Amino acid sequence: MKIVFATANQGKLREAAGILGEGYELVTPAMLGITEDIPETGTTLEENSAQKAEYLYSRCHTDCFADDTGLEVNALGGAPGVYSARYAGGDGHDSQANMDKLLRELQGKEDRTARFHTIVTLYHGTEILQFEGEVRGRIGTEKKGDGGFGYDPVFIPDMVPAEDGTIVPNTEGLTMAEVPAAKNVISHRAMALKAMAAYLHSKE
Ligand code: IMP
């Protein structure tokens, strides 16, 4: 079955393909000649994810899905949230500036708990559904590790995968950038995509 994923990110594409498994052919908007930026002007992850999927559906009229992710920090009232990519201003590609701003905003704050939160919106036949995934953790006091991307060097997940594949408490306080392997197992996006995959497989 063909399904269009609103992304130009090859890493995300591979991750989704691995989770959906055989039987699903993932197509990008670019492969269908849809090359314009897909609008994301919502003020919540739910709105943005829905807006992207709706736009894509209006262009391709076939089953499709879109994701939107944010880092939600409790002491900052859920910020940067839907504005995570552009937290420090600019065009959204300056992860260092975003992390620097986050560390500054949290200076002196005791509660450093946070989560990565993903909402996936799926257009499937006549149905429109949303799926959610999260990974809980806290923000460290400095950047550590060089794996991953975005806020990974300052995000310390509560749980990490052990060598035997079990999920165990992160007693060493490793950041997501220090355990990139964790991404495939515990990531917020993987959780949301797995929930979507379970739904799709139940409809086969
Ligand atoms: P997007 O919706 O997947 O494009 O994510 C929006 C922003 O959230 C990205 O630009 C990153 O700053 C941040 N982000 C999303 N996923 C991750 C992640 O797995 N690790 C670190 N940062 C992330």
Side-chain angles (χ1 to χ4, degrees), residues 80-93:
V82 73
Y83 306 109
S84 293
R86 282 174 287 272
Y87 190 41
D91 61 4
H93 295 289

Side-chain angles (χ1 to χ4, degrees), residues 12 67-69 84-85 116 149-152 183 188-189:
K12 278 192 190 181
D67 70 320
D68 203 42
T69 292
S84 293
F116 279 119
F149 74 103
Y151 294 89
D152 282 343
K183 295 301 283 283
H188 41 94
R189 196 166 20 253

Side-chain angles (χ1 to χ4, degrees), residues 12-203:
K12 278 192 190 181
L13 205 60
R14 271 195 302 276
E15 182 183 27
I19 289 170
L20 281 170
E22 284 173 17
Y24 287 86
E25 185 192 341
L26 275 181
V27 177
T28 63
M31 287 158 78
L32 300 175
I34 303 167
T35 51
E36 69 271 24
D37 283 343
I38 297 181
E40 41 182 315
T41 55
T43 56
T44 63
L45 297 176
E46 284 82 358
E47 272 175 29
N48 255 1
S49 167
Q51 184 185 30
K52 287 192 266 188
E54 182 185 1
Y55 180 87
L56 186 56
Y57 185 76
S58 75
R59 294 284 275 108
C60 70
H61 298 289
T62 188
D63 287 2
C64 61
F65 64 96
D67 70 320
D68 203 42
T69 292
L71 174 66
E72 298 172 349
V73 180
N74 291 323
L76 303 178
V82 73
Y83 306 109
S84 293
R86 282 174 287 272
Y87 190 41
D91 61 4
H93 295 289
D94 196 342
S95 296
Q96 297 301 326
N98 286 340
M99 286 188 288
D100 289 341
K101 176 168 179 188
L102 182 60
L103 293 176
R104 274 199 311 276
E105 296 287 333
L106 280 178
Q107 259 171 23
K109 299 240 189 313
E110 213 165 283
D111 178 6
R112 302 184 74 93
T113 55
R115 70 169 176 172
F116 279 119
H117 189 195
T118 295
I119 302 290
V120 167
T121 304
L122 170 70
Y123 274 61
H124 180 245
T126 56
E127 307 227 56
I128 305 170
L129 300 108
Q130 288 197 317
F131 304 91
E132 186 173 24
E134 66 166 12
V135 53
R136 290 181 179 274
R138 65 181 196 277
I139 305 301
T141 51
E142 57 181 350
K143 302 174 204 162
K144 281 198 299 165
D146 46 25
F149 74 103
Y151 294 89
D152 282 343
V154 294
F155 186 81
I156 301 172
D158 288 344
M159 308 291 285
V160 285
E163 271 173 26
D164 65 1
T166 55
I167 308 290
V168 297
N170 183 7
T171 49
E172 288 176 59
L174 299 171
T175 68
M176 206 70 130
E178 293 175 301
V179 274
K183 295 301 283 283
N184 301 330
V185 189
I186 59 163
S187 109
H188 41 94
R189 196 166 20 253
M191 295 298 149
L193 290 171
K194 280 177 188 170
M196 181 185 79
Y199 166 80
L200 286 170
H201 294 318
S202 76
K203 295 284 170 183

